[in-house]
Amino acid sequence: MIQAAVFYLFATVVCASGLMVILARNPVHSVLWLILAFFNAAGLFLAIGAEFIAMILVIVYVGAVAVLFLFVVMMLDIDFAKMRAGFAAYLPFGLMLGLILAIELVLVGGAWAFGDLAVQARAAPAPGGDLSNTQAIGTILYTDYVFIFQLAGMILLTAMVGAIVLTLRHRPGVKRQDVGKQNARTPANAVTITRPTVGAGVDTDVGVGSGRLGQ
Amino acid sequence: MTEFFQSILGEGLGWFVAHLILILLIALPVMLVMALSTWMDRKVWAAMMLRRGPNVVGPIGILQPFADGLKLFLKETIVPTGANKGVFFLAPMITFVLALVAWAVIPFDAGWVLADINVGLLFLFAVSSLGVYGIIMSGWASNSKYPFLGGLRSAAQMVSYEVSIGFVIICVVLYASSFNLTDIVESQRGNIFGLLNGNLFNPLLFPMAIVFLISALAETNRPPFDLPEAEAELVAGYQVEYSSMTFALFFLGEYMNILLMCALASILFLGGYLPPLNWAPLYMVPGLVWLFLKVVFMFFIFAWVKATVPRYRYDQLMRLGWKVFLPLSLFWVVLVSGWLVFTGHYSAEVASPPPVVESAA
């Protein structure tokens, strides 16, 4: 009974906050609602006993991805009127996407519930014994699916390198701090002691490191 | 205790009442220690500057935090014009609640833990990574320049240093073969020649302890990484517009986070509730006392750093996080896992995986 109550609580909050993401007038509020949705989805994972995935969801999505979302959205100056103007034009396209997603979800759910291939997996979705969730995922991910796992890692690496290459700019004339260089400096090559005569001034072009001046 | 209440009140209600009492038994002492830790922080800081520190309220000024709290309680709460009210008040609450909720998984002694969950360390990591929301939300909701800059700084800073904290945690987890905090503590029992307890004394993990300490300073916005509230440039950063109890919640949440990081460092590297030496007479002292002493020791180090080290510049902070700690800790994960495979140090369950259900694929 309490499991069902917990499920309905989390599921309701997920759906409601998902709705608020697109209904909120303020984009920062939208992101905050999105965070609430993530959080409650993690709660749903916990309710079915997938504690590892729940924690990873909170760490990766709430703790890192959504922070960056919030970071960007907070700094943007968004014109709400302009955003609302395109609403009607994009509505059919959005509805179509939503419909496709809904059909796919129903298909996946149906295949799981009624498919012939999934009979055994349905009977025991989690490996039994005293294996914890984390170990179970590890043993299947790094044995049966190790190549797919590596492939996913490679794709992410490529995406990361691509993003860095696209945004990296070499600006000339920027002074950068080189800690090694700073530590290697000694008074001999960093300090000059000058005794200029009255009215003569110091020849700064001679520069640092050339020894004593004006003697 | 749970059984006692369940025998009186029935299973569900008894469990509920027992856990409510257990939560209070953890939360109230934690809050008391946190109040005293603000006093200790100021005393240590003063001693290093050859001052006396707070010494008026109560003997050696020990009641000063309570006087400060009472003063803040009696002040007026000011909401800036144009502030986003809901988010403005939500932010300090989030900071405080998150700092408190993390103590649920801390083992205070063998078996003395409220929630003995499999993924305790991941839970702690998740909660500490959520701490950034209190700051970033307060920065935005205040509708003011300095808090906003402070919020942005802290978002970038905490996300950067979480990465290295994550890798440090992975190193320790590889040694313990578990995310459960009690298991991690128990894995350190006599782990160095059967004499010493604690990963700190393990030469392979010692550099990671240093990385963890520095990252923890950055994660809790302590000097030398207190850029989100750098008073010289941002007045007080994200706290500028907060007054009265809302400010108090931020202040308390911050100190509670520091204590939590101290407790986490004690559990990961100093052997948690175990005595530092694996010697029978030392086990006569309750584990709670050892954990408390270790937390106080770590807190002293935090205060020591605050008193002696100047503030980092922002680009230096980012350089340290991304260009030094990230490659170092990533390399160390490979090194530690390589060493563990080489020496055959992994648990039997992982070594022999169970047969996978064929028809699922």
Side-chain angles (χ1 to χ4, degrees):
Chain A
M1 203 281 281
I2 198 145
Q3 280 230 321
V6 165
F7 169 78
Y8 283 115
L9 176 71
F10 282 128
T12 317
V13 178
V14 168
C15 292
S17 47
L19 210 62
M20 286 306 290
V21 173
I22 51 171
L23 291 182
R25 288 181 169 273
N26 193 326
V28 173
H29 289 176
S30 282
V31 179
L32 292 176
W33 283 113
L34 183 69
I35 291 162
L36 189 64
F38 280 151
F39 216 83
N40 282 279
L44 282 175
F45 275 124
L46 271 185
I48 58 167
E51 74 264 3
F52 182 74
I53 298 179
M55 290 301 151
I56 291 296
L57 184 73
V58 173
I59 291 170
V60 174
Y61 283 92
V62 185
V65 174
V67 172
L68 296 181
F69 267 20
L70 200 59
F71 195 93
V72 173
V73 168
M74 265 166 47
M75 288 200 288
L76 290 178
D77 190 19
I78 296 173
D79 189 355
F80 301 109
K82 212 178 259 177
M83 269 174 61
R84 304 236 170 262
F87 185 73
Y90 288 119
L91 190 61
F93 186 64
L95 279 179
M96 200 176 72
L97 276 185
L99 196 68
I100 292 173
L101 212 62
I103 292 171
E104 280 178 350
L105 276 177
V106 168
L107 281 179
V108 168
W112 172 260
F114 305 109
D116 299 331
L117 287 174
V119 176
Q120 226 169 336
R122 212 157 54 221
D130 46 38
L131 217 57
S132 82
N133 223 297
T134 320
Q135 287 168 324
I137 290 176
T139 42
I140 201 163
L141 201 60
Y142 298 122
T143 53
D144 287 18
Y145 297 103
V146 65
F147 293 117
I148 297 171
F149 180 74
Q150 294 265 332
L151 195 70
M154 283 296 164
I155 291 171
L156 286 176
L157 182 68
T158 319
M160 193 176 80
V161 171
I164 292 173
V165 166
L166 283 177
T167 53
L168 188 67
R169 287 179 299 164
H170 285 289
R171 279 178 299 180
V174 177
K175 286 190 175 172
R176 290 191 191 283
Q177 185 182 24
D178 189 339
V179 175
K181 229 182 228 170
Q182 285 181 341
N183 284 335
R185 276 159 73 95
T186 58
N189 58 19
V191 180
T192 48
I193 297 168
T194 61
R195 283 212 193 102
T197 49
V198 176
V202 180
D203 185 6
T204 48
D205 287 341
V206 179
V208 167
S210 62
R212 291 173 172 231
L213 299 174
Q215 294 215 0
Chain B
M1 194 171 85
T2 312
E3 286 82 19
F4 171 71
F5 277 101
Q6 278 179 336
S7 65
I8 298 174
L9 298 167
E11 200 172 348
L13 189 66
W15 186 90
F16 183 73
V17 171
H19 277 73
L20 215 59
I21 292 171
L22 284 174
I23 288 169
L24 284 179
L25 276 180
I26 292 174
L28 294 181
V30 162
M31 283 203 254
L32 184 69
V33 169
M34 174 208 51
L36 292 179
S37 76
T38 63
W39 169 79
M40 179 185 155
D41 198 26
R42 293 170 67 178
K43 272 291 192 194
V44 171
W45 207 11
M48 291 195 188
M49 294 174 170
L50 304 179
R51 292 187 285 115
R52 282 187 191 280
N55 63 350
V56 176
V57 191
I60 58 170
I62 202 162
L63 296 178
Q64 183 69 41
F66 303 103
D68 287 347
L70 193 66
K71 188 199 82 174
L72 281 172
F73 189 68
L74 296 175
K75 293 270 174 186
E76 183 194 354
T77 305
I78 300 165
V79 183
T81 336
N84 203 305
K85 267 208 190 95
V87 183
F88 186 79
F89 285 117
L90 202 61
M93 287 184 219
I94 285 182
T95 304
F96 188 75
V97 168
L98 283 177
L100 203 53
V101 89
W103 290 89
V105 294
I106 298 280
F108 293 96
D109 200 344
W112 281 26
V113 49
L114 180 66
D116 193 17
I117 55 177
N118 281 333
V119 286
L121 196 52
L122 282 180
F123 175 80
L124 271 185
F125 189 54
V127 169
S128 81
S129 70
L130 292 179
V132 66
Y133 280 111
I135 294 174
I136 197 170
M137 280 162 73
S138 68
W140 178 76
S142 298
N143 194 25
S144 167
K145 281 185 202 108
Y146 293 130
F148 189 62
L149 287 173
L152 291 182
R153 276 186 180 186
S154 100
Q157 173 182 336
M158 291 171 88
V159 168
S160 310
Y161 280 84
E162 244 154 49
V163 181
S164 54
I165 286 192
F167 283 127
V168 172
I169 285 176
I170 294 285
C171 286
V172 175
V173 164
L174 284 173
Y175 256 97
S177 322
S178 172
F179 277 112
N180 184 299
L181 288 168
T182 310
D183 287 353
I184 288 172
V185 171
E186 285 301 328
S187 79
Q188 299 175 43
R189 191 186 286 270
N191 65 339
I192 310 296
F193 307 128
L195 279 178
L196 298 166
N197 297 330
N199 284 329
L200 184 74
F201 307 112
N202 183 337
L204 203 56
L205 288 178
F206 179 73
M208 286 298 102
I210 305 291
V211 171
F212 183 82
L213 174 68
I214 298 172
S215 303
L217 286 172
E219 181 81 2
T220 50
N221 297 325
R222 281 285 283 196
F225 306 109
D226 59 340
L227 288 151
E229 46 191 287
E231 67 274 0
E233 34 204 289
L234 296 182
V235 192
Y238 62 92
Q239 299 170 342
V240 170
E241 305 292 349
Y242 283 88
S243 56
S244 176
M245 278 317 276
T246 50
F247 170 76
L249 284 183
F250 266 125
F251 190 74
L252 301 181
E254 204 171 293
Y255 269 90
M256 208 135 54
N257 265 326
I258 293 164
L259 282 180
L260 183 72
M261 277 296 167
C262 293
L264 192 55
S266 314
I267 287 167
L268 290 180
F269 291 105
L270 300 179
Y273 53 76
L274 300 173
L277 287 175
N278 195 15
W279 185 46
L282 288 181
Y283 286 100
M284 310 262 272
V285 181
L288 185 63
V289 175
W290 285 118
L291 184 69
F292 181 74
L293 287 178
K294 284 167 182 174
V295 169
V296 169
F297 172 71
M298 288 305 299
F299 191 80
F300 174 76
I301 291 182
F302 270 57
W304 187 4
V305 171
K306 179 177 177 175
T308 48
V309 182
R311 184 177 296 131
Y312 259 54
R313 217 172 55 207
Y314 194 70
D315 62 317
Q316 293 170 330
L317 172 92
M318 282 295 153
R319 180 185 159 271
L320 185 71
W322 289 107
K323 289 189 176 171
V324 180
F325 280 177
L326 176 62
L328 182 72
S329 52
L330 191 58
F331 170 71
W332 225 265
V333 170
V334 177
L335 192 72
V336 166
S337 42
W339 172 255
L340 291 179
V341 171
F342 178 69
T343 55
H345 171 110
Y346 38 69
S347 70
E349 287 162 300
V350 183
S352 56
V356 178
V357 183
E358 275 304 317
S359 64

